[in-house]
Amino acid sequence: MHIRRTSVHNTWDNAIPPIATIAPGDELTVETADASGGQLGPDAGTAAVAALDFGRVNPVTGPFRVDGAEPGDALVVDVLGMETGEWGWTAAIPGFGLLADDFPDPHLRISKISGGTAELLPGLAVPVLPMIGTIGVAPPEPGEHSIVPPRRWGGNMDVRHIGPGARLVLPVGVDGALLSLGDAHAAMGDGEVCGTGIETEATVRLRVDVRRGGAPVTPIIETAPAAQRTGAALATTGIGPDLMEAAKDATRALVTEVAVRTGIAPADAYLLASVAADLKISEVVDVPNWIVSAHLSLDLLS
């Protein structure tokens, strides 16, 4: 089964009729739209970022009804493969992102995607590690629910390990599960600190199965080796009693260090951190202060 990216919706709502029904164990190919829902194109400028309509962002293809899936079951989704588009976009959007107060102005970079890399800036290409930003099932609560925040039922989780070779286990909330997915990235860092990765269209191959009575409390992911980063990295830190503030401090330190080492603008260093740097909770036991670290491959600084 091959589903085109024209069959999309922009809210979670269990009243949305399914576009197709699949049996447990079926494989399907799903085309997904970029996270702007077509509001940004390869020739877009910063004015288009400032004018983004958040009611149209993160369109997801679906929903797919899974025969026999019932509340209390687990939906098991294997990501068999992904192909990204030939270009993607990364933006700092006013009022959005971890350092929104530091970067209040819109900023946009268009990346060319080819040969396993995405050129974020002239001469600066990051490895393509494709992943699905938004994937989930319909919530049991009636009515429309924003597609932006994640929930127990999945959604806009932005876990960069949900890519080729990964397995995602979701709790089923309604009869038929009503699975939808979209918001693909050619690359993204853990934390997606500016609020966007390298946003792109994609074609995703999936296998969907049902595990009777096995609903997890929250989504569970089995990752693939291809999603792991290896090699030497620069790591900056944020230290304090608040993990959110520590995450901001680690990211600010990374943006500053990258700008000093490379000479690129801080706004571009912020975008680079969002698509290629990983935030990690390094320590949460030495009361009263915790440590968050931000890791970026040294290869990207040479």
Side-chain angles (χ1 to χ4, degrees):
M1 181 183 297
H2 190 122
I3 303 297
R4 304 294 180 184
R5 62 178 55 92
T6 50
S7 301
V8 299
H9 57 99
N10 293 84
T11 60
W12 294 111
D13 187 342
N14 61 35
I16 297 174
I19 62 172
T21 297
I22 59 176
D26 276 359
E27 295 183 9
L28 64 158
T29 299
V30 181
E31 295 181 2
T32 63
D34 81 278
S36 78
Q39 297 180 79
L40 299 178
D43 299 317
T46 54
V49 174
L52 277 174
D53 177 359
F54 263 64
R56 295 171 56 192
V57 303
N58 279 18
V60 286
T61 305
F64 300 95
R65 179 179 179 86
V66 184
D67 262 342
E70 299 176 349
D73 292 341
L75 197 70
V76 181
V77 182
D78 290 307
V79 184
L80 304 178
M82 286 184 67
E83 296 178 4
T84 70
E86 296 180 347
W87 68 277
W89 62 270
T90 306
I93 302 169
F96 189 63
L98 185 64
L99 301 184
D101 292 340
D102 298 24
F103 296 94
D105 299 323
H107 189 61
L108 175 69
R109 288 291 181 178
I110 303 295
S111 298
K112 179 181 179 180
I113 304 169
S114 65
T117 64
E119 190 176 40
L120 179 70
L121 300 171
L124 178 57
V126 302
V128 169
L129 293 173
M131 48 81 67
I132 305 167
T134 302
I135 181 169
V137 297
E141 297 81 12
E144 295 186 352
H145 304 269
S146 170
I147 211 157
V148 175
R151 298 175 175 81
R152 179 195 174 195
W153 315 104
N156 189 28
M157 295 184 286
D158 283 319
V159 177
R160 72 171 190 84
H161 301 86
I162 304 176
R167 168 171 287 182
L168 173 65
V169 184
L170 295 165
V172 173
V174 299
D175 287 344
L178 300 181
L179 173 72
S180 301
L181 63 145
D183 183 29
H185 303 81
M188 193 197 80
D190 282 324
E192 196 187 23
V193 293
C194 85
T196 56
I198 295 181
E199 311 288 336
T200 185
E201 296 179 339
T203 301
V204 185
R205 292 190 300 110
L206 304 171
R207 181 172 55 245
V208 181
D209 211 341
V210 176
R211 189 179 296 162
R212 302 297 176 193
V217 175
T218 53
I220 294 173
I221 302 154
E222 297 178 19
T223 69
Q228 307 308 316
R229 302 192 205 271
T230 60
L234 167 70
T236 55
T237 61
I239 302 174
D242 185 293
L243 282 174
M244 180 60 77
E245 291 304 314
K248 291 180 179 180
D249 289 344
T251 303
R252 288 190 183 105
L254 183 64
V255 168
T256 298
E257 188 69 14
V258 169
V260 168
R261 291 194 184 200
T262 65
I264 66 175
D268 285 324
Y270 184 37
L271 299 194
L272 176 62
S274 194
V275 304
D278 295 326
L279 283 182
K280 303 182 182 185
I281 299 175
S282 296
E283 180 267 294
V284 288
V285 295
D286 295 329
V287 178
N289 291 336
W290 329 126
I291 296 181
V292 175
S293 52
H295 298 242
L296 181 70
S297 172
L298 284 173
D299 290 343
L300 297 175
L301 302 178
S302 58

PDB file of all heavy atoms in Angstrom, residues 15 48 72 119 152 212 218 232 299:
ATOM      1  N   ALA A  15     -12.195  11.485  15.736  1.00  0.00           N
ATOM      2  CA  ALA A  15     -13.335  11.495  14.814  1.00  0.00           C
ATOM      3  C   ALA A  15     -12.901  11.626  13.354  1.00  0.00           C
ATOM      4  O   ALA A  15     -13.743  11.524  12.454  1.00  0.00           O
ATOM      5  CB  ALA A  15     -14.283  12.641  15.173  1.00  0.00           C
ATOM      6  N   ALA A  48       8.933  34.636   5.284  1.00  0.00           N
ATOM      7  CA  ALA A  48       8.006  33.500   5.310  1.00  0.00           C
ATOM      8  C   ALA A  48       8.027  32.810   6.663  1.00  0.00           C
ATOM      9  O   ALA A  48       7.014  32.260   7.108  1.00  0.00           O
ATOM     10  CB  ALA A  48       8.350  32.511   4.200  1.00  0.00           C
ATOM     11  N   GLY A  72      -5.784  -0.638  25.225  1.00  0.00           N
ATOM     12  CA  GLY A  72      -5.069  -1.597  26.070  1.00  0.00           C
ATOM     13  C   GLY A  72      -4.059  -2.414  25.299  1.00  0.00           C
ATOM     14  O   GLY A  72      -3.172  -3.035  25.900  1.00  0.00           O
ATOM     15  N   GLU A 119      23.682  20.176   3.326  1.00  0.00           N
ATOM     16  CA  GLU A 119      24.532  21.366   3.432  1.00  0.00           C
ATOM     17  C   GLU A 119      23.746  22.486   4.099  1.00  0.00           C
ATOM     18  O   GLU A 119      22.997  23.214   3.458  1.00  0.00           O
ATOM     19  CB  GLU A 119      25.027  21.793   2.049  1.00  0.00           C
ATOM     20  CG  GLU A 119      26.103  22.865   2.122  1.00  0.00           C
ATOM     21  CD  GLU A 119      26.663  23.235   0.769  1.00  0.00           C
ATOM     22  OE1 GLU A 119      25.865  23.315  -0.201  1.00  0.00           O
ATOM     23  OE2 GLU A 119      27.884  23.438   0.665  1.00  0.00           O
ATOM     24  N   ARG A 152       0.971  10.909  25.771  1.00  0.00           N
ATOM     25  CA  ARG A 152       1.133   9.476  26.018  1.00  0.00           C
ATOM     26  C   ARG A 152       0.970   8.683  24.723  1.00  0.00           C
ATOM     27  O   ARG A 152       1.588   7.627  24.533  1.00  0.00           O
ATOM     28  CB  ARG A 152       0.097   9.003  27.042  1.00  0.00           C
ATOM     29  CG  ARG A 152       0.216   7.507  27.316  1.00  0.00           C
ATOM     30  CD  ARG A 152      -0.965   6.901  28.024  1.00  0.00           C
ATOM     31  NE  ARG A 152      -0.774   5.451  28.102  1.00  0.00           N
ATOM     32  CZ  ARG A 152      -1.716   4.583  28.397  1.00  0.00           C
ATOM     33  NH1 ARG A 152      -2.938   4.995  28.657  1.00  0.00           N
ATOM     34  NH2 ARG A 152      -1.444   3.291  28.424  1.00  0.00           N
ATOM     35  N   ARG A 212      -1.407  -7.830  21.757  1.00  0.00           N
ATOM     36  CA  ARG A 212      -2.631  -7.828  22.561  1.00  0.00           C
ATOM     37  C   ARG A 212      -2.334  -7.566  24.038  1.00  0.00           C
ATOM     38  O   ARG A 212      -1.476  -8.214  24.644  1.00  0.00           O
ATOM     39  CB  ARG A 212      -3.349  -9.171  22.437  1.00  0.00           C
ATOM     40  CG  ARG A 212      -3.717  -9.549  21.007  1.00  0.00           C
ATOM     41  CD  ARG A 212      -4.699  -8.590  20.387  1.00  0.00           C
ATOM     42  NE  ARG A 212      -4.986  -8.897  18.975  1.00  0.00           N
ATOM     43  CZ  ARG A 212      -5.617  -8.080  18.160  1.00  0.00           C
ATOM     44  NH1 ARG A 212      -6.046  -6.909  18.597  1.00  0.00           N
ATOM     45  NH2 ARG A 212      -5.835  -8.413  16.901  1.00  0.00           N
ATOM     46  N   THR A 218       3.846   4.719  28.390  1.00  0.00           N
ATOM     47  CA  THR A 218       4.227   5.754  27.434  1.00  0.00           C
ATOM     48  C   THR A 218       4.995   5.079  26.306  1.00  0.00           C
ATOM     49  O   THR A 218       5.409   3.923  26.429  1.00  0.00           O
ATOM     50  CB  THR A 218       5.098   6.835  28.093  1.00  0.00           C
ATOM     51  OG1 THR A 218       6.208   6.209  28.742  1.00  0.00           O
ATOM     52  CG2 THR A 218       4.314   7.649  29.109  1.00  0.00           C
ATOM     53  N   ALA A 232      34.904  11.775  18.138  1.00  0.00           N
ATOM     54  CA  ALA A 232      35.196  12.821  19.113  1.00  0.00           C
ATOM     55  C   ALA A 232      34.186  13.953  19.011  1.00  0.00           C
ATOM     56  O   ALA A 232      33.698  14.297  17.934  1.00  0.00           O
ATOM     57  CB  ALA A 232      36.606  13.356  18.885  1.00  0.00           C
ATOM     58  N   ASP A 299      34.184  17.012  14.003  1.00  0.00           N
ATOM     59  CA  ASP A 299      34.324  17.043  12.554  1.00  0.00           C
ATOM     60  C   ASP A 299      33.613  18.243  11.936  1.00  0.00           C
ATOM     61  O   ASP A 299      34.009  18.725  10.861  1.00  0.00           O
ATOM     62  CB  ASP A 299      33.774  15.749  11.920  1.00  0.00           C
ATOM     63  CG  ASP A 299      34.625  14.539  12.215  1.00  0.00           C
ATOM     64  OD1 ASP A 299      35.789  14.725  12.632  1.00  0.00           O
ATOM     65  OD2 ASP A 299      34.129  13.410  12.023  1.00  0.00           O
TER      66      ASP A 299
END
